[in-house]
Amino acid sequence: MLKRPERYATLLRVRRREEDARAAALAKAVGAIHNAETHRHLLVERHEDTLRRAAEAAKGSDATLMERFSLYERHIIQLIGHADRDIQDLHAERSQRQEEFEASHRRRKMIDRLIERVKTRWNDHVFREERKTMEDSVAMRYALRADERRNG
């Protein structure tokens, strides 16, 4: 028994929603990477600015100020290290989201192809049934006319 193509509409809708959700998760991961890289870039700029200001302060040879710049520089370097690790983690997450999206996309495409095959088979079935009905009606009409000629 052939299945009607409409029976697969819900499955296709579910697969499309899944694919859309995976695409949104991938976009979110890419956005998080962009934000983390921007944050790291700002930290690097702050580090360069601190070094520049420390060099200017070194001309005055104020020991406490130099110690503060040194501590602040170490702190910024730690923040940059944390940002680098966060970026690596986000890239790993993006790769995972990319794989999930691609798998979801393949599943949806598989359902699309299945529906197309079912539609083709269904249309062929309907065409054969209509043709069979037409041939039967022509045969019945011919038989009725032949009966009318014999009896008539």
Side-chain angles (χ1 to χ4, degrees), residues 97-112:
R97 299 289 180 242
Q98 180 73 33
E99 290 172 7
E100 290 171 355
F101 170 73
E102 289 171 357
S104 150
H105 181 70
R106 283 191 301 273
R107 285 192 296 269
R108 187 198 47 87
K109 292 297 275 184
M110 180 183 66
I111 298 301
D112 282 340

Side-chain angles (χ1 to χ4, degrees), residues 7-147:
R7 293 188 64 176
Y8 296 97
T10 302
L11 181 59
L12 180 61
R13 192 169 44 251
V14 167
R15 294 291 189 229
R16 282 186 179 151
R17 285 182 186 160
E18 178 187 13
E19 183 182 13
D20 291 345
R22 303 290 182 190
L26 177 60
K28 185 178 177 182
V30 169
I33 289 171
H34 176 72
N35 291 340
E37 287 175 344
T38 301
H39 178 68
R40 185 193 183 284
H41 179 69
L42 292 173
L43 287 172
V44 169
E45 285 179 352
R46 186 181 298 170
H47 180 252
E48 292 169 354
D49 183 53
T50 302
L51 291 177
R52 193 172 29 261
R53 288 177 30 208
E56 291 172 5
K59 294 176 186 173
S61 68
D62 183 4
T64 58
L65 185 60
M66 289 305 295
E67 184 179 346
R68 287 182 188 158
F69 274 121
S70 175
L71 290 174
Y72 187 60
E73 179 188 6
R74 280 190 220 137
H75 175 68
I76 291 177
I77 289 172
Q78 286 177 347
L79 290 177
I80 291 172
H82 291 303
D84 286 339
R85 284 189 294 279
D86 290 345
I87 290 171
Q88 287 176 348
D89 292 344
L90 289 171
H91 276 289
E93 182 181 345
R94 188 205 52 80
S95 295
Q96 180 184 358
R97 299 289 180 242
Q98 180 73 33
E99 290 172 7
E100 290 171 355
F101 170 73
E102 289 171 357
S104 150
H105 181 70
R106 283 191 301 273
R107 285 192 296 269
R108 187 198 47 87
K109 292 297 275 184
M110 180 183 66
I111 298 301
D112 282 340
R113 287 191 301 271
L114 174 67
I115 289 174
E116 285 304 315
R117 285 196 305 268
V118 168
K119 280 182 182 178
T120 301
R121 287 182 191 152
W122 180 257
N123 290 338
D124 290 346
H125 172 74
V126 169
F127 176 74
R128 282 192 306 274
E129 290 297 318
E130 287 176 354
R131 187 172 180 176
K132 188 175 170 184
T133 303
M134 286 177 21
E135 289 173 355
D136 288 347
S137 67
V138 168
M140 290 290 270
R141 201 173 310 146
Y142 180 76
L144 287 174
R145 286 185 185 159
D147 268 353

